[in-house]
Every structure is written in C-alpha cells, then in structure tokens.
Amino acid sequence: MKQEQKNRMEAIRQGAENMRKLNLLSDTFASVALQDTGACQYVVRKILGRDDIRIIDVKSQYRLLNLTAKDAILDAFAQDSTGRLVNIEIQRRDTKDHARRTRYYGSMIDKSVLDKGTKHNEFPDVYIIYISETDLWHGGETVYPVNKILGKSAMPYDDGKHVIFVNAAVDDGSEVAKMMQYFKKADPDDMSQGELSERVHYLKTEKGGYKEMCEVAEKIYEQGIEQGKMENAKKMAISLHEAGVAEELIAKAANVSVNLVRTWLGMSLA
C-alpha cells in the first residue's frame, strides 16, 4: 500500500474517532446525529412544544446555492408531513449579528422555494431554530421565540417565518433546558432523550455508527483535498487574468465554469 493511501486511511480513522468524542454543540457531530429523521423530529418537537410534528425528510450540511454571493450551508434542513420547512443551526462561537444570520438563512430558504416555481402565496412556513452554547441575548432564558406584532395594538403578524433562539447556558428546569444539558455532554450512556439518545448511542458505541462516522470523515477529508485543488485553480485563474488571458480560456485551463472564473476574478478585484 502506498504511503499516500496509508496517510489517507489514518486521517479518516482519526477523524472518525475524534468526531465520536464531540458533543451536540459541534455542528459537525450534530449534523450527523440530526440526519436521522427520528432524532431530528425529537429535537423539533421538544423545542416547538408540539408532538404532532412528523419529520419526513432531513438533509445535513445542505448547501443552498447562490450565484451572486456566498452559498448557505445549513446544518440540518428538514421538512415535515405538512410541508413546513425547519432549519436547525448550531452556533458554538459567540459571533456578532445572530439576528442577521437567521435573516440570511431565511432569505436563502425562501429563494430556494422560489427557484422551484412556488408562488408567494404558496410559501410554506419556515422555522429557523438557532441553538447556541451561550446565552446570546443575556436574558436568562433557555428559549427566545421571536414574536412579531403590529403597532400599538400588538396584533400578531404572521408571515410564515418563525425564529427560535435556544441556548445551553441557561438551565431553567424546562424540558428544553434538560435537552440542552444533554447537548453539552452527548453521553452515549444517557438514554433520557428518546430517539436523540438512541442516535447518539448508535454513533458513539456501535459498529454501524463507527462506519457512518468514517464515511463522514472521508467526505471531510476529500473536501479538504478538493478545496486545496480549487484554491490552486483560483490562484492560477487570477494570474492568467492578470496576464491578459480571456476568461473563457482561463475556464478551460482550470476545468471550471466561466461563471466561477468571473466570481473568482470579482472577489480578487474586490
């Protein structure tokens, strides 16, 4: 076996082992755990306080394409039996503008629905569940639903988009808080959280779970290799452009689309 192949296999093995040590506040591990419809359904039901929600499809690390700006990659993107869309985002770092981040996710989801030919009056309800390690709003609450109202009368305003901030820092004794405490540990021996616990136990202790972790680690490894290739192609494209080579010829040389070359060049000029 070539040394390169040995290095690849060792990197994948270590990646899988390291991922098994993560908790559910890691977007990498959470994305794998919530890819299971039962686990995702458990989390959504608990946070929304609704036992009637039935998740029928989940995609993890789901990329929403944007040709004019950066893509949005959703940690978990689900649909329920009534057509409602649910985006679960895991945010460990205390970065800025969380409200605008959720606005961006929502706008990208709306755009993806429009791209499929859906009319405005047919828009499905969208729920963005934003889970953080810290209490972002410093209000001492576990759950912060965003409520929209009209004027002084405080009439409810419902545009079909719902945002709920949840954190693991505040333990108010609620069922959601108990689940958030579980998120912090993700102990495979703690079976208190129903299908979510079953999923974590499977990923961290069972042979099939280890195989799934290896598959994810392999994808991450390959993406890293591909990203390196793309970075080199981007540098080459910029250099060729500076030398006066036409965009179409640059695209052929880099084996990418002309639109991507133009995006690279636009970013370079900016």
Side-chain angles (χ1 to χ4, degrees), residues 8-52:
R8 178 178 179 276
M9 292 181 65
E10 178 61 19
I12 292 171
R13 185 193 67 78
Q14 288 184 8
E17 290 291 344
N18 289 336
M19 278 191 288
R20 279 184 139 184
K21 299 174 184 177
L22 298 173
N23 63 22
L24 287 162
L25 292 172
S26 158
D27 57 356
T28 302
F29 184 71
S31 295
V32 181
L34 298 180
Q35 190 170 342
D36 176 76
T37 54
C40 183
Q41 178 175 275
Y42 181 90
V43 172
V44 173
R45 284 181 171 183
K46 189 73 69 174
I47 291 174
L48 299 186
R50 298 185 56 171
D51 291 334
D52 62 329

Side-chain angles (χ1 to χ4, degrees), residues 30-31 79 99 101 122 152 161-162 199 210 232 234 254:
S31 295
Q79 183 177 29
R101 287 172 71 89
E122 299 172 336
K152 295 179 180 178
K161 188 176 293 182
H162 313 273
R199 176 65 171 168
Y210 178 72
N232 289 332
K234 179 181 175 182

Side-chain angles (χ1 to χ4, degrees), residues 9-119:
M9 292 181 65
E10 178 61 19
I12 292 171
R13 185 193 67 78
Q14 288 184 8
E17 290 291 344
N18 289 336
M19 278 191 288
R20 279 184 139 184
K21 299 174 184 177
L22 298 173
N23 63 22
L24 287 162
L25 292 172
S26 158
D27 57 356
T28 302
F29 184 71
S31 295
V32 181
L34 298 180
Q35 190 170 342
D36 176 76
T37 54
C40 183
Q41 178 175 275
Y42 181 90
V43 172
V44 173
R45 284 181 171 183
K46 189 73 69 174
I47 291 174
L48 299 186
R50 298 185 56 171
D51 291 334
D52 62 329
I53 291 175
R54 185 168 68 87
I55 298 297
I56 60 173
D57 182 52
V58 186
K59 297 179 178 66
S60 66
Q61 291 295 303
Y62 183 63
R63 182 182 293 273
L64 296 177
L65 299 178
N66 190 341
L67 296 179
T68 58
K70 72 174 184 177
D71 298 343
I73 301 177
L74 310 183
D75 290 335
F77 188 47
Q79 183 177 29
D80 77 355
S81 57
T82 68
R84 283 178 293 225
L85 302 175
V86 182
N87 169 214
I88 300 177
E89 288 299 315
I90 308 295
Q91 185 62 41
R92 187 154 217 167
R93 294 170 297 174
D94 195 5
T95 56
K96 297 179 180 179
D97 286 336
H98 299 283
R100 285 176 173 77
R101 287 172 71 89
T102 59
R103 174 182 167 185
Y104 177 67
Y105 293 135
S107 67
M108 288 295 289
I109 292 170
D110 285 346
K111 180 180 179 299
S112 73
V113 173
L114 273 176
D115 288 345
K116 294 178 181 178
T118 304
K119 298 178 181 178

Side-chain angles (χ1 to χ4, degrees), residues 173-230:
S174 65
E175 289 299 310
V176 176
K178 291 177 183 176
M179 184 175 70
M180 287 298 100
Q181 298 310 303
Y182 175 81
F183 262 61
K184 290 199 294 188
K185 297 180 180 178
D187 181 355
D189 296 324
D190 180 353
M191 304 303 292
S192 66
Q193 298 300 315
E195 289 172 291
L196 179 61
S197 290
E198 292 174 9
R199 176 65 171 168
V200 170
H201 180 84
Y202 170 77
L203 290 173
K204 290 196 171 190
T205 67
E206 298 185 26
K207 185 176 180 180
Y210 178 72
K211 181 180 178 182
E212 195 167 331
M213 290 283 92
C214 284
E215 291 172 355
V216 174
E218 184 174 11
K219 287 180 181 178
I220 293 173
Y221 179 86
E222 296 298 340
Q223 286 170 358
I225 297 296
E226 192 62 31
Q227 185 176 2
K229 291 179 181 177
M230 293 299 281

